[in-house]
Amino acid sequence: MYQKVLIPLDGSKEAEEVFPLVRNELVTDGEVILLQVIPPTRTQMVGGHIILGSQQEEADRFEAIGYLRALVRQQAWDAGQWRFEVEVDNSVSEGIVRLADREQVDLIAMYTHDRKLLARHIKRSIAREVQRKAAGEVRVFGTRELGERSAEESEAGQSPDVDFGIYRQVDVFSDLNTQQIERVVALGERQSVQSGDLLGTGGQLGEHMFVILEGEAHLSTHSEVGEISVRIARPGEAFPLAALLGSGTLITSGEALTEMEVLAIPRSELLMLCSREPEIGMRLYASVGRLFSNRYAETLTHLTISAARELQRGDS
């Protein structure tokens, strides 16, 4: 039996299914640490915009924590049994091992993707490195183990959750159940977006809420000194949230940094669904309120960091 288990996650549904394989081996008051390792970032010029390294790293950290929290809520797991951690490291295996050593975990349980040729060796090398460097026990699961679990569930009359892929991880859907996500997603249309295309302009009415499936968008706001970078929106994020509030006037402008695949949900139809089905509306707006609050706090943090750096430069 294990007192403390570490489960590294890479955002895949398969990695999320590792815990049920070891849950019966966790003591009653045991703890599970969910971990994502993100790479450090540098300040860069993207599409004519300056993106601060600290700004992007904080956004990555915020996104990772949001994903881990949403995962626990969706699975209805006991919140007191879980802890979330995000490590910043160029090496995923080093980040996993460092946290495992610091927390003195009893077990690292992780999934390895069964890929072909070079991709398979790259993915499996992470698991091999963790097994080689970790001081404690490491158990690695693949598709065979997950397949055996699915077969056992089928024999027991259980039906595994419908795999919505990225829709299960979308930030504004975090409080919705499977059927409610289906209802919202059914309103939208998948669209391909070219780099440089506008997905909304600050001060104008937002006609759609976009769910990013692939690619990245740059969000900015206008000021007296020009456009100010707000953040980078990535897969699993919905924007602009202001389209759902009040008159629907947008606060930020959105521009595709890369080629993108999005789900475009008409604002009018989404508002009508929320009116017809109040539970969906209450859950959706609870998520929107939480995201606005978190993003506001995140923006203040970025401004504080930037101001501190400018003051240091002025003193030097």
Side-chain angles (χ1 to χ4, degrees):
M1 301 294 283
Y2 303 103
Q3 179 68 41
K4 187 180 291 188
V5 176
L6 171 64
I7 302 180
L9 296 169
D10 60 6
S12 69
K13 189 175 188 299
E14 293 85 354
E16 296 168 7
E17 293 177 351
V18 166
F19 175 65
L21 299 177
V22 298
R23 69 185 308 165
N24 292 333
E25 301 175 47
L26 190 69
V27 299
T28 304
D29 61 344
E31 181 182 42
V32 177
I33 302 174
L34 300 179
L35 168 68
Q36 274 210 316
V37 180
I38 61 174
T41 55
R42 297 180 178 179
T43 297
Q44 56 184 320
M45 179 75 73
V46 181
H49 303 285
I50 297 177
I51 309 299
L52 296 177
S54 59
Q55 182 180 18
Q56 188 167 336
E57 193 170 293
E58 284 299 315
D60 291 344
R61 185 185 295 275
F62 174 76
E63 179 183 350
I65 289 293
Y67 158 66
L68 297 175
R69 284 177 176 159
L71 176 61
V72 172
R73 282 197 298 269
Q74 290 165 358
Q75 299 298 331
W77 291 331
D78 181 6
Q81 192 178 32
W82 302 87
R83 182 146 54 90
F84 316 123
E85 294 290 345
V86 177
E87 286 288 311
V88 180
D89 202 303
N90 279 313
S91 167
V92 175
S93 59
E94 291 285 352
I96 294 172
V97 172
R98 183 173 64 248
L99 180 69
D101 290 343
R102 187 169 71 240
E103 294 289 340
Q104 297 182 325
V105 302
D106 305 310
L107 172 69
I108 301 175
M110 58 189 300
Y111 174 78
T112 182
H113 294 266
D114 294 330
R115 304 285 181 86
K116 294 182 178 180
L117 302 175
L118 179 60
R120 178 183 64 189
H121 295 300
I122 291 173
K123 284 289 184 180
R124 287 189 172 178
S125 67
I126 296 175
R128 284 200 299 268
E129 283 296 298
V130 172
Q131 288 178 311
R132 185 173 66 85
K133 297 177 180 179
E137 182 181 354
V138 180
R139 290 171 62 181
V140 179
F141 301 91
T143 53
R144 180 176 61 83
E145 290 84 358
L146 297 184
E148 290 174 353
R149 173 176 174 261
S150 296
E152 290 173 358
E153 289 180 342
S154 297
E155 292 176 2
Q158 302 176 16
S159 58
D161 293 338
V162 176
D163 183 11
F164 284 99
I166 197 169
Y167 294 128
R168 296 175 60 248
Q169 302 172 19
V170 173
D171 47 15
V172 296
F173 297 164
S174 61
D175 290 342
L176 302 181
N177 60 35
T178 298
Q179 291 73 27
Q180 291 167 339
I181 294 175
E182 279 185 320
R183 295 297 306 277
V184 176
V185 170
L187 299 176
E189 176 185 0
R190 290 183 68 129
Q191 297 180 356
S192 296
V193 180
Q194 299 302 310
S195 175
D197 286 355
L198 289 177
L199 293 168
T201 303
Q204 297 184 8
L205 177 67
E207 297 181 354
H208 292 84
M209 181 183 77
F210 298 100
V211 173
I212 302 179
L213 306 177
E214 296 180 12
E216 298 180 341
H218 176 246
L219 306 185
S220 61
T221 186
H222 186 72
S223 73
E224 294 181 356
V225 296
E227 289 294 307
I228 297 177
S229 175
V230 176
R231 66 187 185 89
I232 303 297
R234 297 185 172 83
E237 293 189 48
F239 80 98
L241 299 182
L244 303 182
L245 303 176
S247 64
T249 301
L250 304 186
I251 301 171
T252 59
S253 298
E255 177 184 340
L257 278 180
T258 64
E259 291 186 356
M260 300 177 66
E261 186 79 14
V262 301
L263 179 73
I265 303 176
R267 172 180 185 266
S268 58
E269 295 186 26
L270 184 53
L271 293 179
M272 188 176 299
L273 175 65
C274 292
S275 177
R276 288 198 310 264
E277 301 194 28
E279 184 176 358
I280 291 179
M282 287 188 294
R283 293 189 178 193
L284 188 64
Y285 276 89
S287 296
V288 169
R290 186 167 56 247
L291 286 168
F292 258 118
S293 176
N294 290 337
R295 288 176 184 175
Y296 177 68
E298 180 186 6
T299 299
L300 290 180
T301 299
H302 294 159
L303 290 174
T304 301
I305 293 173
S306 299
R309 287 178 175 172
E310 289 299 322
L311 289 174
Q312 289 176 355
R313 289 174 183 172
D315 293 338
S316 60

